[in-house]
Amino acid sequence: MATQARELPPKQELPRDDGDDYEDDEDEEEEEGEEGWDDWESDGDDAAGGSGGLLCLFCSARFDSDGPLFAHCGSVHGFDFHKLVRELGLDFYGCIKLINFVRSKVRLLSPLASMTALSFLARLVAENKCWSCAEISQLEGKVPWAEDSYLKPFMEDDSLLHSLSIFDDEEDEDCGMPVVTGECSVGNGRSGELQGNGLNTIIDDCSDISARFEKAVTTESNGGDNNGSLSEEQTDRQLKITRASVTAKEIKKVDDNYFGSYSSFGIHREMLGDKVRTDAYRDALLDNPSLMNGATVLDVGCGTGILSLGFSSAKAGASRVVAVDGSAKMSSVATHVAKNNGLLYDENANTEQKGGPQVISVVHTKAEELNHKIVVPPNGFDVLVSEWMGYCLLYESMLSSVIYARDHFLKPGGAILPDTATILGAGFGRGGTSLPFWENVYGFDMSCIGKEVTGSSARFPVVDVLDSKDVVTDTAVLHYFDLATMKESEMDFTASLELRLPESGAAAVAGVTWCHGIVLWFDTGFTDRFCKDKPVVLSTSPFSTPTHWSQTIFTFEEPIAITNEKSVVGSSASVGSAECPAGTIRSRISIVRASEHRSIDISIETTGISSDGRKRSWPAQIFNL
């Protein structure tokens, strides 16, 4: 799904297109039902929350934004969220964990017990908020919400988690306040000195917060009085250790830019014109009638709706198709296209009129917020289809939305298309760089420019079509994803490539070959696990017909000599040089989601290994895509 400039420096913003020619008819795209597919009714933005808004942590009150909500929590329930965030130095993810922790504990309370017990929790946490920078680092993992399990929303479709703006007003603040060595605020107006094992005592107390809290809950439920005299006095020394690396406001901005970029018809023209891409999806959907006939289908990131309109519905025989897109403009476009082609579902039609080709509903939303827009039967889809792939497979991080949709909306055992993805790589030679071009520009030697451009390429990944003749090593698999079972955390991984020259065949070469870097691409599979009639493979390999994804090229700081021949025993030359070429190039590659939402960071650690076992390692290279 990725379409971008061919050289991608860090933190490049996607273009925006705020055209709204089609937005007048957005109301037509929201259709839903209570139990079955034939009875959907519009539910607007309040589908997931009754009267809508953000739900209080402790009661049924709802608010338009998180500011009034947290003010209410402080004044009514005695829970000062902002104070805890400041003084415990919680980052964005720490806030998410704390919210889910509190919601999980509130469920244990009766309505009559909640105020005093939660006030106790607030005070209890506040008792343990007073460490210096060094001491905070030792505390990591000790608070009762430190478990990663609290990153998972306790309350399904918790809008508060998507609306946190608590760090937005802190852009000009210092990262911390000075702390006098040996002293700390203990949360009740006193200063204490930590010596010996004093810190361990505090940590142990903090690690037992959960048990103490649940004990207080039990006391409250039994009618006991737990109105303790714990002081809530604010001290002068407030320690702020860190700010969130990713705030809800930043995520929203990136999402707006991301979805806005797909409002450009030029991008969709390029994707629709990618015959390899479009034919693969067409074949998978149209040539597998045993999968598609009568199926309910969810299309995540529908764009113009080609997968829903042309392949999943009228031709493939699906009984119901819900097409979801985060771009308001493209959702409206897809709605108009479906209507113009007689495929748009009409919720007002009577039962006798339903069941024809009018099976498509288009919903403007992110997959994670689908239940905010419509009500669907839980795990009610037979097939989940999405063209989610980006450059280097994972750029744009849309895979997380597909995994969310799979876990929440797909039937157990339902089909996800595609269902596998593999990242592959190989080494490329001099022809994969810009050096040959600059050496002869209309008869002039401009190789000085070529060297500078190549140096820049060693810092930024380049997205381009690499000629297959410039691939100099065998192909190797970097990483494999089973999309039917993988977890979102598996999007971040570290794996190794071992690259060698071909030993036989037309590609085999004698002597020394120079490897200038690594090229990565991906294949996605519509395997016979679900596509039993006709499995399909969509490949972006340099050995296949080029696609709009091209390949992603990572240039070494310096080229590495590689050979199939034996190294000279006793040579003092460096491995990877012309005098002592490597027999194997081993690259340890990490691909992780970057702190900037929807970006990825790639690190490459390269080692040359000679035929006699000697090794040479080069400094790690860090790329942002």
Side-chain angles (χ1 to χ4, degrees):
M1 181 172 278
T3 53
Q4 280 279 336
R6 293 309 184 192
E7 184 167 338
L8 300 177
K11 300 185 179 180
Q12 177 179 3
E13 287 200 3
L14 296 167
R16 293 293 308 271
D17 184 340
D18 297 324
D20 55 2
D21 297 344
Y22 293 89
E23 294 179 4
D24 293 339
D25 297 321
E26 284 185 9
D27 292 340
E28 298 178 8
E29 68 192 19
E30 299 174 2
E31 300 162 354
E32 54 195 291
E34 296 178 356
E35 299 295 338
W37 295 105
D38 294 335
D39 301 317
W40 283 20
E41 296 177 359
S42 296
D43 194 43
D45 293 332
D46 300 333
S51 59
L54 309 181
L55 181 65
C56 172
L57 295 174
F58 311 121
C59 67
S60 60
R62 290 182 177 271
F63 302 87
D64 293 332
S65 63
D66 61 336
L69 185 151
F70 290 132
H72 164 84
C73 290
S75 62
V76 176
H77 302 289
F79 188 86
D80 193 334
F81 183 83
H82 291 89
K83 179 179 178 181
L84 294 178
V85 169
R86 272 196 317 273
E87 300 188 353
L88 288 175
L90 299 183
D91 63 7
F92 177 76
Y93 299 106
C95 293
I96 295 294
K97 291 180 180 181
L98 175 58
I99 289 172
N100 288 320
F101 171 77
V102 172
R103 289 209 190 279
S104 68
K105 298 306 178 185
V106 166
R107 190 170 186 176
L108 301 173
L109 300 173
S110 68
L112 294 177
S114 61
M115 181 184 297
T116 308
L118 266 301
S119 298
F120 173 79
L121 173 63
R123 295 184 179 115
L124 192 60
V125 174
E127 283 184 308
N128 298 276
K129 61 177 171 43
C130 51
W131 303 279
S132 68
C133 295
E135 294 160 347
I136 283 285
S137 65
Q138 298 179 47
L139 184 66
E140 182 177 358
K142 297 295 185 179
V143 292
W145 57 84
E147 297 292 333
D148 285 344
S149 59
Y150 288 113
L151 286 171
K152 182 178 181 181
F154 176 79
M155 186 178 75
E156 188 171 357
D157 301 320
D158 190 350
S159 300
L160 178 58
L161 301 181
H162 301 285
S163 307
L164 288 178
S165 59
I166 59 174
F167 300 101
D168 293 353
D169 297 329
E170 301 179 0
E171 295 300 321
D172 298 324
E173 293 184 11
D174 293 331
C175 288
M177 299 291 289
V179 178
V180 179
T181 302
E183 291 187 359
C184 67
S185 160
V186 294
N188 57 3
R190 298 182 292 108
S191 291
E193 184 172 342
L194 296 177
Q195 296 180 345
N197 62 358
L199 175 62
N200 293 331
T201 301
I202 290 180
I203 292 176
D204 291 340
D205 288 344
C206 183
S207 65
D208 198 36
I209 288 177
S210 184
R212 294 164 66 189
F213 168 67
E214 292 187 15
K215 180 179 179 181
V217 170
T218 303
T219 302
E220 288 293 334
S221 300
N222 293 331
D225 184 6
N226 195 37
N227 293 326
S229 59
L230 293 173
S231 172
E232 293 182 297
E233 180 179 348
Q234 176 72 35
T235 66
D236 293 332
R237 302 183 181 196
Q238 297 179 340
L239 179 64
K240 181 181 176 186
I241 302 302
T242 183
R243 273 204 311 258
S245 59
V246 181
T247 67
K249 182 178 180 180
E250 290 169 339
I251 290 175
K252 184 178 185 302
K253 179 181 178 181
V254 174
D255 280 344
D256 287 346
N257 288 339
Y258 169 67
F259 292 120
S261 72
Y262 282 95
S263 297
S264 167
F265 292 124
I267 290 176
H268 292 280
R269 171 67 178 84
E270 182 178 6
M271 291 190 295
L272 292 172
D274 185 340
K275 187 172 174 60
V276 174
R277 162 197 181 266
T278 308
D279 284 356
Y281 278 87
R282 180 198 62 193
D283 293 346
L285 295 171
L286 293 184
D287 294 342
N288 286 281
S290 63
L291 173 66
M292 298 302 298
N293 282 340
T296 53
V297 180
L298 177 62
D299 178 3
V300 175
C302 69
T304 59
I306 185 63
L307 303 185
S308 297
L309 304 172
F311 306 150
S312 297
S313 55
K315 292 185 177 181
S319 63
R320 197 76 172 84
V321 180
V322 177
V324 176
D325 201 278
S327 166
K329 180 175 181 179
M330 294 315 301
S331 298
S332 295
V333 168
T335 299
H336 278 266
V337 173
K339 185 175 182 179
N340 292 343
N341 286 273
L343 299 173
L344 188 66
Y345 179 80
D346 183 3
E347 67 181 21
N348 296 318
N350 57 45
T351 303
E352 290 74 17
Q353 292 174 316
K354 293 179 180 178
Q358 296 81 21
V359 298
I360 299 175
S361 298
V362 183
V363 185
H364 168 221
T365 186
K366 296 193 295 184
E368 293 86 344
E369 299 174 2
L370 181 59
N371 273 343
H372 295 191
K373 292 287 187 176
I374 62 173
V375 175
V376 298
N379 302 107
F381 291 95
D382 300 305
V383 178
L384 168 61
V385 62
S386 180
E387 194 274 81
W388 53 267
M389 298 82 74
Y391 297 136
C392 204
L393 185 67
L394 296 174
Y395 172 65
E396 295 177 340
S397 297
M398 187 177 163
L399 179 54
S400 59
S401 297
V402 174
I403 293 173
Y404 181 93
R406 179 200 68 191
D407 293 342
H408 288 77
F409 306 127
L410 191 64
K411 289 180 179 179
I416 181 171
L417 303 178
D419 62 303
T420 67
T422 307
I423 301 178
L424 306 101
F428 66 86
R430 194 167 182 274
T433 71
S434 62
L435 289 173
F437 172 83
W438 292 108
E439 287 176 350
N440 185 354
V441 182
Y442 295 99
F444 296 97
D445 181 359
M446 298 186 181
S447 55
C448 59
I449 300 176
K451 292 177 182 178
E452 184 172 337
V453 171
T454 301
S456 175
S457 298
R459 298 189 299 273
F460 305 129
V462 175
V463 175
D464 204 352
V465 175
L466 187 77
D467 195 311
S468 60
K469 72 179 189 313
D470 294 321
V471 176
V472 297
T473 72
D474 285 332
T475 296
V477 172
L478 178 64
H479 200 65
Y480 170 84
F481 298 95
D482 184 341
L483 303 175
T485 60
M486 70 173 289
K487 299 177 181 179
E488 184 178 350
S489 60
E490 295 173 40
M491 292 172 60
D492 304 328
F493 69 90
T494 298
S496 293
L497 285 176
E498 292 207 350
L499 305 177
R500 300 179 180 87
L501 294 181
E503 295 184 355
S504 60
V509 293
V512 172
T513 298
W514 290 94
C515 180
H516 284 254
I518 293 174
V519 55
L520 297 182
W521 66 90
F522 65 86
D523 292 349
T524 53
F526 304 79
T527 73
D528 59 6
R529 170 168 43 182
F530 301 122
C531 296
K532 301 184 183 302
D533 303 307
K534 183 181 178 180
V536 178
V537 174
L538 166 56
S539 178
T540 65
S541 166
F543 301 100
S544 302
T545 303
T547 69
H548 78 282
W549 287 286
S550 303
Q551 290 86 41
T552 308
I553 299 169
F554 303 91
T555 303
F556 292 150
E557 290 283 358
E558 62 177 87
I560 300 173
I562 185 171
T563 186
N564 280 327
E565 301 173 358
K566 297 283 187 181
S567 299
V568 178
V569 178
S571 172
S572 60
S574 297
V575 175
S577 65
E579 294 76 19
C580 184
T584 301
I585 297 175
R586 178 180 299 156
S587 287
R588 184 173 182 266
I589 300 176
S590 297
I591 300 181
V592 299
R593 287 162 291 178
S595 58
E596 182 175 350
H597 189 46
R598 297 195 180 276
S599 298
I600 57 175
D601 288 332
I602 303 106
S603 68
I604 300 180
E605 304 167 67
T606 303
T607 301
I609 306 172
S610 66
S611 59
D612 60 0
R614 287 183 294 137
K615 298 180 180 180
R616 177 191 175 189
S617 296
W618 284 263
Q621 293 176 256
I622 309 295
F623 302 86
N624 176 266
L625 186 62

